Amino acid sequence: MTVTGPCNAPDVVDVVALGESMVTFLPTRPGRLADVPSFDRGIGGAESNVACVLAAAGHTTRWISRVGADGFGDHLVEAIGGYGVDVSHVRRDPARPTGIYFRTAGDRSTDAHEVAYYRAGSAASAMTVADLDLEAVRAGRILHLSGITAALSADCLALMRELTAPRPDRPLISFDVNHRPALWRDAHGPEVLLELARGADIVFVGDDEAREAWGLHGARAVREALPEPEIVVVKQGRGGAVALDKDTDDLLCEDATGTATFVRALNVDVVAAVGAGDAFAAGFLSATLRDLPVRDRLRHGHLTAAATLTTPGDLAPPPPRALADRLAALDDTAWGRLRLGPGWTQADEDERAEKEARTP
């Protein structure tokens, strides 16, 4: 799949990402929210995370959203713009606040993980088809969206339906399912997410999300439920990820050829798992923009996720392109031997070579 997009549109960029970003408060130590005495401020938002990582990787990106006319809104616009993302189309809302949330330091997959959202009635939840510059939204080779936006309000859902509707001049639509049951006000969330995913060109979904939302087990079942997208990427956590294109007849896992490609995940010394899914999507989209083979797109997804997994925050600089290309080109045996820990993206070339040589 080659990305073309609206090349003749004004101010065209590689990727436009639309969705809510919030100010994130990260604990200064492990423990319950009730026990943590202080927090460090960061930024968090699935779509803006993707835009920031892609910008850091050298792509032109634009983030479109609404924030409050408050200090938190100022911080988001300045911080995301600081990554090199175009924030000129972010609207300020004087009547609604910028969303914020607090979380514990632990992995969100454990029972001890806590998240406290303060986003009800946020500025981003007031996004509508009428008050956004749809020409700027569509002026990208790829438009990246997620299911989170659809859950924010009826107006946001109408916007998502407009953006994923078939039209001859639309960009390539990338959709991360991002099933968040707590955000939905009724039981129709899974049905809506399936509808939106079927309108996209590239879909990212975790196998755990597919089971919880749709009762689907396995990548083949997901592909059969999503016949329209050009490619569906099913993430299998520590196991790896499989990409299935539109003509999949059989699911081939290891040493895949044809229309289904599996790449095992890297061995990573995890510091924090938050943001890894967004980083994976950014790595995959970066390689898609470069028209790399599907196997390499998956490998770049894993490598970019590994950069985030080995740092404490939601965002981490991706590996330098030359390093990522070199690692993505390894044979299967060498790929399986890699083990990446904190600081691996910043090590100099000699140190990297020595570390890779020592990997059992």
Side-chain angles (χ1 to χ4, degrees), residues 142-145 163-164 170-175 199-203:
I142 295 175
L143 172 58
H144 182 69
L145 308 168
L163 295 177
T164 55
R170 80 174 197 177
L172 199 74
I173 302 295
S174 166
F175 182 72
D201 300 297
I202 302 173
V203 175

Side-chain angles (χ1 to χ4, degrees), residues 77-274:
V77 172
E78 292 167 8
I80 294 170
Y83 280 85
V85 178
D86 173 15
V87 294
S88 62
H89 294 274
V90 177
R91 299 287 178 88
R92 309 303 294 264
D93 190 329
R96 298 176 180 84
T98 303
I100 65 173
Y101 78 97
F102 297 77
R103 68 170 174 85
T104 50
D107 187 333
R108 68 162 48 127
S109 65
T110 68
D111 292 337
H113 184 71
E114 299 173 74
V115 179
Y117 288 108
Y118 299 90
R119 71 195 307 177
S122 68
S125 70
M127 288 189 292
T128 69
V129 173
D131 72 3
L132 290 181
D133 181 349
L134 294 186
E135 185 176 4
V137 174
R138 294 185 171 117
R141 297 171 64 195
I142 295 175
L143 172 58
H144 182 69
L145 308 168
S146 93
I148 294 172
T149 304
L152 297 180
S153 68
D155 283 337
C156 284
L157 174 55
L159 173 62
M160 292 289 288
R161 283 176 166 149
E162 168 68 22
L163 295 177
T164 55
R167 53 182 292 150
D169 59 342
R170 80 174 197 177
L172 199 74
I173 302 295
S174 166
F175 182 72
D176 194 335
V177 171
N178 266 325
H179 181 223
R180 300 286 188 269
L183 291 180
W184 290 92
R185 297 166 300 284
D186 54 41
H188 297 297
E191 176 186 336
V192 170
L193 293 174
L194 188 65
E195 170 201 337
L196 295 173
R198 293 182 66 177
D201 300 297
I202 302 173
V203 175
F204 300 96
V205 62
D207 58 354
D208 54 343
E209 290 180 301
R211 286 194 303 272
E212 182 180 13
W214 303 322
L216 299 175
H217 297 267
R220 183 171 188 168
V222 176
R223 174 76 265 190
E224 290 173 352
L226 298 172
E228 294 87 355
E230 290 295 325
I231 192 163
V232 175
V233 179
V234 181
K235 299 173 289 183
Q236 300 170 340
R238 295 178 183 272
V242 61
L244 304 101
D245 76 12
K246 209 168 189 176
D247 300 318
T248 295
D249 294 319
D250 193 17
L251 180 59
L252 305 175
C253 285
E254 303 220 13
D255 299 322
T257 57
T259 56
T261 306
F262 173 84
V263 172
R264 61 171 53 90
L266 291 159
N267 298 308
V268 178
D269 297 328
V270 177
V271 174
V274 179

